[in-house]
Amino acid sequence: TELDPFPETFLWGSASAAYQVEGAYQDDGKGPSVWDTFVKQPGTTFKDTNGDIAVDHYHHFKEDVALMAELGLKAYRFSIAWSRIFPNGKGQLNQAGLDFYSQLIDELLKYNIEPIVTIYHWDLPQALQDEYGGWESRQIIDDFTNYATVLFDTFSDRVKYWVSLNEQNVFITHGYLLGTHPPAVRNVKRMFAANHIANLTNASVIKAFKDGEYKGQIGPSFNYGPAYAFNSDPLNVLAKIDTEELMGFFWLDVYATGKYPRTVIKQLEKLQLAPVVTEADQQLLASGLPDFIGLNYYQTATVKASTTDSLSGEMSMNNSGKKGTSKELEIPRVSKFVKNPYLEQTNWDWTIDPVGIRVALRTIESRYQLPILITENGLGEYDKLENGEIHDPYRIEYLQKHLQEIQEAITDGVQVLGYCTWSFTDLLSWLNGYQKRYGFVYVNRDENSERTLNRYKKDSFYWYQNVIETNGEYLNE
Ligand code: GCO
């Protein structure tokens, strides 16, 4: 059948996050974030890599934006480091931090590249962690909302797209259940409590955006991978529902409707893990509904019925590093993860499933009828620089297939606002160092010693250039 063309306004984009690209971790008054602290503890990341310098985007931003312009990007998604704006998370404002992002935004607009600003991409100011335990205290709701309001006041004349929280499911499960991200807690009760506070924070910032009548759109970015039943055994189908509610709708329902899914809450109540939701919480959640859902899509999960697998095993699916489970976290579930016989995996064991992005888009559309901005999708691989060139046909194939499925989903009737690949330049993979590369632009640096930081265009750079130039027609040539 005939495919619909991509909309003329489609945001062909690419993305990054402050800690993963900027470096300059102490420059111009920036305060430390929890990641600055965490990575300095030996054994927390691959070969103890950190983002002190990262790919030094802070000092290379003009060069990087010029490359974006050469590629033809219509949008660039980046995050603002909270502790550049408020070194202590609140109180004294650091003008130099605002100036940096102001220059970056102006540089993008000079080339007609739409800035998509992520307000929080995991780098919580360390001061707030120390003072009141970060996401475990309701004090963060006001501090975060104040910080975000400063951004709205300063940039909303130029920024039209805002992402509130990036991958709440990932930073909460890794930070409080698996212990693989800061603050490295492994306590399921604390995880659900912190998660509820993050939900309130997300709603509060969206509400502030609406109440302030800023022009533009705002929504959270969520790491969502649909779950498949291993086969048509009805018990496996039930397991699929169970997994998808716990891993997906437990968050997405709250974002989109202001309400937790009843079935998950019922189960958590039995385990005495359910968050305490007051009447005022309920109202806040309902008054902070997003304009769009940001979708970060990497993979799907396939499940079978089981009575022995644990909650922690399941929640570690959307993983950016090592898996972790521990006995005391084990909560019986009706499902367990199995290998999908139809799908291959990346070198980091992430399932490659282009049709899965169409499944994700269709699911979000049918459950919430909200527009979707794809805020991340991409392939992490070992790339090789040879004579100034990088041949990455595997990345081209990956992106091509995903984009074809996105076009199918648009043809199905899903409202897709745009597509940001992860990532524009190579960057720091939180737990996997610099060897896991995602970019269109190769950056010459390894985990430790070698570091010219020179930029090189990969083959995929020229491929995406063609895709954008033809508004997607090149995909089907
Ligand atoms: C990695 C991950 C990250 C995330 C991104 C989530 O390898 O560290 O892929 O880069 O995808 O930060 O928003």
Side-chain angles (χ1 to χ4, degrees), residues 16-17 20 77 121-122 166-167 170 181 221 223 296 298 319-321 350 376 380 422-423 427-433 436 438:
S16 72
Q20 297 181 273
R77 171 180 179 238
H121 204 124
W122 307 355
N166 177 70
E167 294 192 351
V170 174
H181 285 189
S221 280
N223 184 316
N296 289 2
Y298 290 93
N319 202 323
S320 23
W350 291 19
E376 284 183 34
W422 189 261
S423 52
L427 41 66
L428 170 71
S429 170
W430 302 90
L431 301 177
N432 300 295
K436 189 183 186 188
Y438 284 92

Side-chain angles (χ1 to χ4, degrees), residues 204-223:
S204 167
V205 73
I206 293 178
K207 183 178 182 323
F209 187 77
K210 308 270 158 183
D211 290 351
E213 294 182 8
Y214 300 100
K215 279 210 200 73
Q217 305 190 30
I218 187 165
S221 280
F222 184 71
N223 184 316

Side-chain angles (χ1 to χ4, degrees), residues 22 41 56 58 84 98 135 143 170 177 179 235 250 341 363 435 461-462 468:
E22 285 178 2
Q41 294 160 23
D56 202 28
Y58 192 82
R84 282 197 198 282
L98 281 178
W135 291 105
D143 288 339
V170 174
L177 179 69
L235 287 175
F250 180 63
T363 305
Q435 29 134 39
F461 180 102
Y462 300 103
I468 297 177

Side-chain angles (χ1 to χ4, degrees), residues 41-341:
Q41 294 160 23
T44 54
T45 64
F46 176 75
K47 292 192 183 171
D48 293 336
T49 333
N50 65 52
D52 288 1
I53 296 173
V55 296
D56 202 28
H57 173 69
Y58 192 82
H59 296 111
H60 288 72
F61 79 92
K62 288 197 174 160
E63 180 186 348
D64 290 342
V65 174
L67 284 163
M68 292 173 203
E70 182 185 340
L71 194 155
L73 284 193
K74 303 270 192 243
Y76 174 56
R77 171 180 179 238
F78 62 93
S79 81
I80 291 184
W82 184 345
S83 68
R84 282 197 198 282
I85 311 302
F86 287 102
N88 295 312
K90 60 180 179 177
Q92 187 63 43
L93 182 93
N94 179 38
Q95 186 58 42
L98 281 178
D99 291 347
F100 168 70
Y101 295 108
S102 187
Q103 286 173 47
L104 173 59
I105 290 165
D106 285 344
E107 197 68 15
L108 290 165
L109 292 175
K110 182 169 116 188
Y111 298 107
N112 291 317
I113 302 170
E114 192 75 52
I116 300 174
V117 174
T118 306
I119 303 170
Y120 184 78
H121 204 124
W122 307 355
D123 44 2
L124 180 77
Q126 180 66 41
L128 299 185
Q129 185 66 42
D130 296 342
E131 186 188 325
Y132 54 64
W135 291 105
E136 292 190 83
S137 164
R138 286 182 176 235
Q139 291 183 55
I140 199 169
I141 302 171
D142 281 349
D143 288 339
F144 186 86
T145 306
N146 286 336
Y147 152 63
T149 302
V150 167
L151 303 186
F152 299 151
D153 285 339
T154 314
F155 301 130
S156 67
D157 58 335
R158 289 166 284 162
V159 173
K160 300 285 164 260
Y161 294 90
W162 298 89
V163 172
S164 45
L165 299 183
N166 177 70
E167 294 192 351
Q168 180 184 332
N169 56 330
V170 174
F171 78 77
I172 290 288
T173 57
H174 284 257
Y176 296 90
L177 179 69
L178 305 173
T180 49
H181 285 189
V185 171
R186 294 162 70 90
N187 182 310
V188 72
K189 195 166 179 106
R190 285 169 67 185
M191 178 198 77
F192 282 112
N195 184 61
H196 182 57
I197 293 173
N199 279 329
L200 296 171
T201 306
N202 183 68
S204 167
V205 73
I206 293 178
K207 183 178 182 323
F209 187 77
K210 308 270 158 183
D211 290 351
E213 294 182 8
Y214 300 100
K215 279 210 200 73
Q217 305 190 30
I218 187 165
S221 280
F222 184 71
N223 184 316
Y224 174 56
Y228 300 151
F230 180 71
N231 58 24
S232 55
D233 177 339
L235 287 175
N236 290 342
V237 175
L238 204 57
K240 165 216 152 73
I241 293 176
D242 192 56
T243 300
E244 200 147 67
E245 288 190 343
L246 179 67
M247 287 190 2
F249 306 144
F250 180 63
W251 281 276
L252 286 170
D253 283 9
V254 178
Y255 293 146
T257 71
K259 289 191 191 118
Y260 284 102
R262 206 189 314 276
T263 48
V264 180
I265 290 296
K266 185 103 194 274
Q267 197 175 6
L268 294 180
E269 275 168 357
K270 275 190 259 167
L271 300 161
Q272 299 187 340
L273 291 172
V276 181
V277 186
T278 66
E279 192 55 42
D281 291 357
Q282 204 67 268
Q283 269 174 23
L284 178 56
L285 294 177
S287 61
L289 304 182
D291 298 303
F292 61 83
I293 296 291
L295 171 65
N296 289 2
Y297 173 83
Y298 290 93
Q299 57 176 327
T300 50
T302 302
V303 297
K304 270 187 183 170
S306 156
T307 48
T308 56
D309 207 45
S310 70
L311 179 73
S312 54
E314 267 187 42
M315 291 197 124
S316 67
M317 199 280 285
N318 293 313
N319 202 323
S320 23
K322 26 186 175 175
K323 292 221 160 138
T325 50
S326 102
K327 274 278 168 236
E328 70 270 24
L329 302 179
E330 285 189 6
I331 295 169
R333 300 288 304 165
V334 302
S335 62
K336 70 161 180 243
F337 288 154
V338 292
K339 203 180 154 354
N340 187 318

